[in-house]
Amino acid sequence: MADLILALDLLDPMYAREVAESCAASLDAIKLGYPLILSAGLGVVKDLADLGLPLIADFKVADIPNTNGLIANQVFSAGFDAIICHGFTGRDAVEACVDAAHAYGGECFVVAEMSHPGALSFFSRGVAEQIATLAVECRADGIIAPATRPERIRALRSVVRSRKIYSPGIGTQGGDLRSVLPLVEGVIVGRTIYGAADPAKEAAVMAAIVNDERSS
Ligand code: NUP
């Protein structure tokens, strides 16, 4: 049973709000990252809160434990429900994000392997499995794994077992929605939805596929 998560990587806050609002009925969560937050400010989180959808902060936090904790506390006090951090920083740094998330009743997801081609320079050769293992040991709520490489999702599933896998890379990056849905708890989709001529229609089409998979 996978969630449909919109990656709202738009720079114009008014248009971002319009797209989010028009797609909201088809979505299970919205992911915000540097593009929108740097252009609109952290206040955009409160602006989107009335849509009633969980908001995920994709800052891929990757600093020392103290700084990670400070960042995560800002994220959750701004109203986010979940945070994404990197795992290559190691146990203490990941734990700082997980601890802050759980203190706020929120969730923390650890990037195990990225979806773009260049990710293979460093995430291959067992590194992703090690990061996923660390995520489990640190009590993270789940990992991020690439929709562009379903076989890697399957490999990482055997590490994280019942923890969540959220997967970006559908559509524009080449990942196939129908192939990935049975493997994960959430698909993260940006340009394929917000870049469509009619984002609400595209979100509805994808939500119908998600619902089909849920009921199969
Ligand atoms: O490995 C990752 N790949 C990825 O695309 C980890 C991510 N967090 N993302 C994010 O997912 C990326 O920053 C963007 O916000 C979204 C995918 O967007 P799109 O390729 O569907 O437009």
Side-chain angles (χ1 to χ4, degrees):
M1 289 247 294
D3 285 346
L4 179 60
I5 302 163
L6 172 64
L8 196 57
D9 294 326
L10 291 164
L11 300 180
D12 174 352
M14 303 269 279
Y15 184 56
R17 162 83 207 186
E18 193 183 315
V19 169
E21 201 174 320
S22 70
C23 296
S26 302
L27 304 175
D28 299 292
I30 299 177
K31 182 181 81 67
L32 310 180
Y34 293 111
L36 181 59
I37 301 283
L38 290 178
S39 102
L42 206 47
V44 72
V45 182
K46 295 260 183 295
D47 294 343
L48 294 171
D50 66 312
L51 297 178
L53 291 167
L55 299 175
I56 302 167
D58 186 2
F59 293 142
K60 296 186 189 69
V61 185
D63 215 310
I64 61 168
N66 182 63
T67 311
N68 274 7
L70 292 171
I71 293 168
N73 276 298
Q74 289 299 309
V75 159
F76 286 102
S77 55
F80 277 105
D81 301 283
I83 190 168
I84 297 174
C85 71
H86 265 302
F88 65 79
T89 49
R91 183 177 306 274
D92 47 0
V94 170
E95 275 173 354
C97 291
V98 174
D99 289 348
H102 292 176
Y104 280 87
E107 293 187 307
C108 179
F109 292 84
V110 178
V111 178
E113 177 171 322
M114 295 189 74
S115 57
H116 60 301
L120 295 177
S121 315
F122 293 106
F123 284 103
S124 54
R125 301 183 206 99
V127 171
E129 277 83 350
Q130 287 180 51
I131 294 175
T133 301
L134 181 71
V136 172
E137 289 171 0
C138 292
R139 298 168 298 105
D141 300 274
I143 61 163
I144 305 295
T148 46
R149 292 177 220 105
E151 75 286 0
R152 297 295 302 138
I153 301 177
R154 285 193 193 88
L156 293 168
R157 172 61 74 195
S158 68
V159 177
V160 301
R161 296 169 184 269
S162 61
R163 298 203 188 230
K164 294 181 187 173
I165 299 181
Y166 283 174
S167 191
I170 302 284
T172 312
Q173 293 185 51
D176 176 57
L177 180 61
R178 281 192 177 80
S179 321
V180 171
L181 276 174
L183 309 177
V184 299
E185 282 71 32
V187 286
I188 296 171
V189 185
R191 288 165 288 179
T192 305
I193 292 177
Y194 70 70
D198 184 343
K201 193 170 158 198
E202 184 61 36
V205 167
M206 293 189 124
I209 297 170
V210 168
N211 286 330
D212 259 14
E213 170 61 30
R214 277 179 185 158
S215 54
S216 70

